[in-house]
Amino acid sequence: MLTRIAKRLTLISRSLSEVDRAKIARPPAENEDTLFGKIARKEIPANIVYEDDKVLAFRDISPAAPTHILLIPKVRDSLTRLNQIQEKHKDILGHMMWAAAEIARNEKLEEGWRLVINDGPLACQSIYHLHFHIIGGRQLGWPPG
């Protein structure tokens, strides 16, 4: 059942622009789950490229570049947006930065890669579970948005 729901959500999601997805997204209630929470618990399948006890990284289903990986903390702990971080989150954020670099090395992105965090609706955040986009594998343009 969950796999069918995930496939349907994927089809709907792909038909919307990033801006449209951000406009309809909303931060979850404190105990409300997110798509990324379900992926972290492996209730929804994902193409996992890295995992340890704190984080999970998987390939984006709508990649913006040849390499496009999403890195999430396994436990949300009120981390819905970068704007919402607290002092208690310093350890997990540092670990996520380390893991992003480790993933980039594993993906052979020595020539360069980008780490993106969309924070809030104007930045096109569509899932309110803090996540990093690791993007590379081609020449990236500037400015990004």
Side-chain angles (χ1 to χ4, degrees):
M1 174 97 169
L2 280 175
T3 302
R4 218 173 0 162
I5 293 169
K7 286 180 181 176
R8 190 166 179 202
L9 287 172
T10 298
L11 290 173
I12 292 167
S13 172
R14 287 183 177 166
S15 68
L16 297 174
S17 73
E18 289 293 323
V19 172
D20 289 337
R21 281 187 283 219
K23 284 179 182 176
I24 62 174
R26 61 171 179 72
E30 186 59 35
N31 294 323
E32 187 179 359
D33 207 359
T34 67
L35 175 67
F36 289 168
K38 290 178 171 95
I39 290 172
R41 290 189 309 278
K42 303 202 176 122
E43 295 171 7
I44 294 176
N47 185 352
I48 297 170
V49 297
Y50 179 85
E51 180 176 14
D52 63 27
D53 60 326
K54 296 177 183 174
V55 298
L56 181 76
F58 52 94
R59 298 205 185 275
D60 193 302
I61 60 169
S62 297
T67 300
H68 188 162
I69 295 168
L70 300 174
L71 174 63
I72 63 171
K74 285 185 170 180
V75 177
R76 192 176 69 206
D77 189 27
S78 72
L79 274 172
T80 57
R81 296 180 54 179
L82 194 59
N83 195 44
Q84 304 297 325
I85 64 171
Q86 302 166 27
E87 188 171 349
K88 70 178 182 174
H89 298 125
K90 289 193 302 189
D91 288 340
I92 188 63
L93 291 169
H95 185 75
M96 288 179 74
M97 293 295 288
W98 172 85
E102 184 69 11
I103 292 162
R105 284 188 287 275
N106 292 344
E107 293 288 317
K108 310 286 189 251
L109 299 176
E110 299 86 13
E111 294 295 314
W113 54 285
R114 186 170 288 159
L115 185 65
V116 176
I117 304 169
N118 298 325
D119 188 53
L122 291 181
C124 288
Q125 183 176 4
S126 58
I127 298 180
Y128 284 84
H129 181 132
L130 183 71
H131 56 286
F132 293 178
H133 295 257
I134 301 164
I135 301 170
R138 67 167 169 80
Q139 178 65 56
L140 301 172
W142 195 262

